[in-house]
């Protein structure tokens, strides 16, 4: 059975625009997924990436055009300049990690709910009430927002180190063995690769 390590962050607009595509590909191939929220800004610093706000105006303008085009193609609502972006992604990332450790709910739905909260619902995913509501909606104990802080922080740090070791430099990244698929537009390549593995 194939396994996908999903390196993500709960503020990535491109991870949001992937929708539930990863989960659909995994179901198609009977693959398992480990969700690995990580510190994207730290990875940018160490791999030569530039945070969006520090990019040349031409790159910033193109990014907004691209987000609008992808959202339209995928029939997904998006606010290109959300009120709560950027915000602190750590609390929601820790909650996602804690939910994965606890089990019992819809982890893919939870991950997407954090992304949707930022990019379509004008909610702050750093706020405890938002995190608790998402946890509860997708079948997890809302108290994980508190109880999972320490273990979540430790795993978040480990995931960041692992991302660097496995040549991950952006989000979303889908990793199978030594193969890295970066960006929501690479899900079809992931699909093809898993088909080859299954032969």
């Amino acid at each position: 059975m194939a396994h996908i390590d999903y390196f993500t962050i709960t503020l990535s607009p491109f991870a949001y625009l992937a929708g539930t595509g990863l989960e659909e590909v995994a179901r198609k191939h009977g693959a398992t997924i480990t969700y690995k929220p990580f510190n994207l800004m730290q990875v940018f610093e160490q791999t030569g990436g530039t945070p969006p706000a520090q990019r040349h105006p031409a790159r910033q303008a193109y990014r907004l055009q691209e987000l609008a085009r992808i959202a339209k193609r995928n029939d997904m609502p998006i606010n290109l300049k959300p009120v709560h972006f950027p915000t602190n992604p750590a609390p929601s990332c820790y909650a996602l990690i804690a939910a994965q450790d606890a089990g019992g709910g819809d982890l893919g739905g939870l991950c997407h709910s954090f992304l949707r909260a930022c990019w379509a619902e004008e909610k702050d995913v750093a706020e405890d009430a938002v995190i608790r509501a998402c946890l509860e909606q997708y079948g997890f104990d809302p108290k994980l927002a508190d109880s999972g802080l320490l273990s979540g922080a430790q795993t978040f740090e480990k995931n960041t180190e692992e991302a660097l070791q496995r040549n991950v430099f952006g989000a979303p990244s889908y990793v199978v063995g030594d193969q890295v698929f970066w960006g929501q537009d690479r899900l079809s390549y992931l699909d093809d690769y898993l088909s080859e593995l299954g032969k």
Side-chain angles (χ1 to χ4, degrees), residues 14-168:
F14 294 100
Y16 163 63
L17 290 171
T20 57
L22 171 62
E23 291 75 17
E24 291 164 13
V25 168
R27 276 195 297 273
K28 176 180 176 181
H29 297 283
T32 54
I33 304 170
T34 298
Y35 294 76
K36 292 182 175 282
F38 72 112
N39 188 333
L40 181 59
M41 293 303 108
Q42 182 179 333
V43 168
F44 273 170
E45 289 173 8
Q46 297 190 40
T47 60
T50 305
Q54 297 174 24
R55 294 171 189 167
H56 187 278
R59 290 180 177 270
Q60 293 189 42
Y62 180 80
R63 177 175 175 272
L64 294 179
Q65 289 180 357
E66 190 77 339
L67 290 174
R69 284 191 284 258
I70 298 167
K72 183 177 180 180
R73 169 64 63 87
N74 294 353
D75 194 24
M76 296 175 70
I78 191 169
N79 184 340
L80 296 177
K81 296 185 178 180
V83 172
H84 302 291
F85 179 86
T87 190
N88 181 8
S92 52
C93 284
Y94 297 171
L96 181 60
I97 291 167
Q100 182 165 239
D101 290 343
D106 178 357
L107 202 60
L110 176 64
C111 184
H112 189 63
S113 74
F114 289 139
L115 294 160
R116 186 174 61 247
C118 175
W119 290 98
E121 298 174 347
E122 294 288 28
K123 295 176 182 176
D124 187 351
V125 294
E127 289 185 359
D128 189 60
V130 173
I131 294 169
R132 286 173 175 271
C134 290
L135 284 164
E136 189 168 25
Q137 181 180 358
Y138 286 92
F140 297 98
D141 184 347
K143 293 178 183 176
L144 288 173
D146 302 319
S147 61
L149 287 177
L150 179 59
S151 62
Q154 292 171 338
T155 302
F156 188 70
E157 186 175 336
K158 290 178 183 176
N159 289 347
T160 303
E161 289 304 315
E162 183 183 347
L164 291 166
Q165 293 167 6
R166 299 181 71 183
N167 297 325
V168 169

